[in-house]
Amino acid sequence: MQQLIDIVIIPMSKPMKIGLYKNKELFEEIETDKMTSDFLPSFFKDILEKYEIKNIIYANGPGSYMAIKLVYIFLKTLQITKNITILSQDGFYFNQNLPIKAIGNRYFIKENDTITMKESDIVGKFELPKVLEYSDFSKNIEPIYILNAV
């Protein structure tokens, strides 16, 4: 029987960060600048050969919408085909609630549970949690869309 793990994916900036967890504790951290669409299939092919996945948790925005959409579609497919639980949390959870790069000199800011765009001199750095608390994550896994249509 394969070891049971959880995976955390932070896809909205480069490098994309992925954490592997045993018994809720981070045991391997992966960073990649590769294109999300190229990296995820080979990564999950290798992971599924080595481990059984209990949960996949991902940062569902705001940030790089293309990467977030690709990850969402990929994970939703795994959820359906492999019966893996998918959970999410906004990106501010992974960067100590600091601004997240949007467009130009604009940044996503979260104040009082509301996400807006403002100028900022501060940019948060994404970090994987060392220990998972499942109660911190949501079963609502749809991406967070903030920008209005152009």
Side-chain angles (χ1 to χ4, degrees), residues 29-71:
E29 187 170 338
I30 298 149
E31 292 187 2
T32 183
D33 286 322
K34 293 180 181 177
M35 298 293 293
T36 303
S37 57
D38 294 334
F39 180 75
L40 284 183
S42 61
F43 170 76
F44 273 99
K45 179 184 179 293
D46 292 344
I47 289 298
L48 288 167
E49 289 174 358
K50 291 183 192 177
Y51 302 105
E52 181 180 345
I53 302 171
K54 179 178 181 183
N55 300 294
I56 302 174
I57 300 161
Y58 87 110
N60 62 341
S64 169
Y65 290 119
M66 184 58 72
I68 294 166
K69 286 179 196 178
L70 284 168
V71 169

Side-chain angles (χ1 to χ4, degrees), residues 62-63 65 92 95 97-111 114-126 146-147:
Y65 290 119
F92 297 102
N95 79 348
N97 203 39
L98 293 171
I100 295 172
K101 180 78 170 141
I103 296 174
N105 63 348
R106 310 276 295 170
Y107 293 82
F108 296 108
I109 309 281
K110 185 176 180 183
E111 299 170 312
T114 301
I115 300 172
T116 59
M117 281 199 334
K118 297 180 181 177
E119 291 185 15
S120 177
D121 296 346
I122 302 168
V123 178
K125 181 180 176 190
F126 293 105
I146 303 297
L147 297 177

Side-chain angles (χ1 to χ4, degrees), residues 122-133:
I122 302 168
V123 178
K125 181 180 176 190
F126 293 105
E127 296 293 332
L128 292 161
K130 300 297 181 209
V131 177
L132 296 178
E133 288 296 331

Side-chain angles (χ1 to χ4, degrees), residues 44 48 53 75-85:
F44 273 99
L48 288 167
I53 302 171
L75 296 182
K76 191 68 179 171
T77 302
L78 282 176
Q79 183 182 47
I80 292 166
T81 60
K82 300 286 188 185
N83 199 28
I84 296 170
T85 301

